[in-house]
Amino acid sequence: MTPLFKENTEIDGFDTLERKMIRTLALHRELTKLLEAEHEAGQKVDTRELGKLTLRKNNCINRLEHLVGSIRDQLKRMAGKELPRTCPRTLANRLKTIPGLTPDLEETLLPLARDLEEENRVLVEASRRNMAMLKGAIDRIWAVSQYAHQGKQP
């Protein structure tokens, strides 16, 4: 059986890691736009638009999960050692442990890693906001249905 990837840091180089990080950053931005559109559609209670946005969002999340897993696996292959337990497990810190990281590569990859982490925080906040808004809408719909069917026994 042939392996799915070759564990060779020369093949999985820093340029591949940079491309994956750039694609991940683009997916973060696309997902942020989808969450904004979902929030607007949720405020208008546009169920048809919410259905379309949910499908697009799920597709985007699947691609994002795949890329994040790919970056994680590549970092594990490239890293010479594990981070100490006291060191925060940020992407920038994980990049610093990779042997062969030159100052030129560090100048390009570390800001990109920090941007990815910031975009991730923005996505988490936007998804929390949307979940609270949608939960409130569902609660209101449930309350209206209870009021509308008052006194009717099934």
Side-chain angles (χ1 to χ4, degrees):
M1 187 161 129
T2 58
L4 295 175
F5 59 85
K6 296 180 182 176
E7 292 192 28
N8 186 350
T9 57
E10 291 151 13
I11 293 173
D12 288 336
F14 290 103
D15 56 338
T16 306
L17 185 61
E18 183 179 4
R19 282 194 309 268
K20 288 178 184 179
M21 290 170 67
I22 290 170
R23 285 189 357 226
T24 305
L25 193 57
L27 280 174
H28 271 96
R29 292 182 178 144
E30 181 182 343
L31 195 53
T32 302
K33 290 177 186 175
L34 287 172
L35 287 172
E36 288 295 323
E38 181 183 62
H39 187 73
E40 290 174 13
Q43 287 180 334
K44 296 176 184 173
V45 192
D46 186 359
T47 56
R48 186 176 184 151
E49 186 66 21
L50 276 172
K52 291 177 186 177
L53 288 170
T54 300
L55 288 175
R56 288 179 54 203
K57 183 177 68 171
N58 288 342
N59 183 22
C60 190
I61 288 171
N62 288 337
R63 290 184 292 156
L64 184 67
E65 285 176 349
H66 180 266
L67 265 176
V68 168
S70 176
I71 290 172
R72 182 191 62 237
D73 293 343
Q74 184 173 352
L75 284 173
K76 282 182 183 178
R77 288 191 304 269
M78 292 176 76
K81 58 184 178 190
E82 283 290 318
L83 287 173
R85 290 183 180 222
T86 57
C87 185
R89 303 228 184 278
T90 63
L91 186 56
N93 287 342
R94 292 181 72 192
L95 281 173
K96 290 177 186 177
T97 63
I98 297 175
L101 185 67
T102 63
D104 293 336
L105 288 170
E106 196 171 316
E107 285 179 13
T108 57
L109 290 177
L110 289 181
L112 191 57
R114 289 185 183 107
D115 286 346
L116 272 172
E117 289 173 345
E118 180 60 32
E119 287 287 329
N120 192 42
R121 285 195 254 337
V122 168
L123 277 178
V124 168
E125 289 301 316
S127 63
R128 284 181 183 157
R129 181 196 64 201
N130 283 8
M131 287 301 296
M133 185 257 321
L134 291 173
K135 185 180 180 319
I138 290 171
D139 289 345
R140 287 191 307 273
I141 291 171
W142 180 82
V144 167
S145 73
Q146 292 299 312
Y147 180 75
H149 299 297
Q150 193 173 28
K152 295 180 183 176
Q153 297 295 326

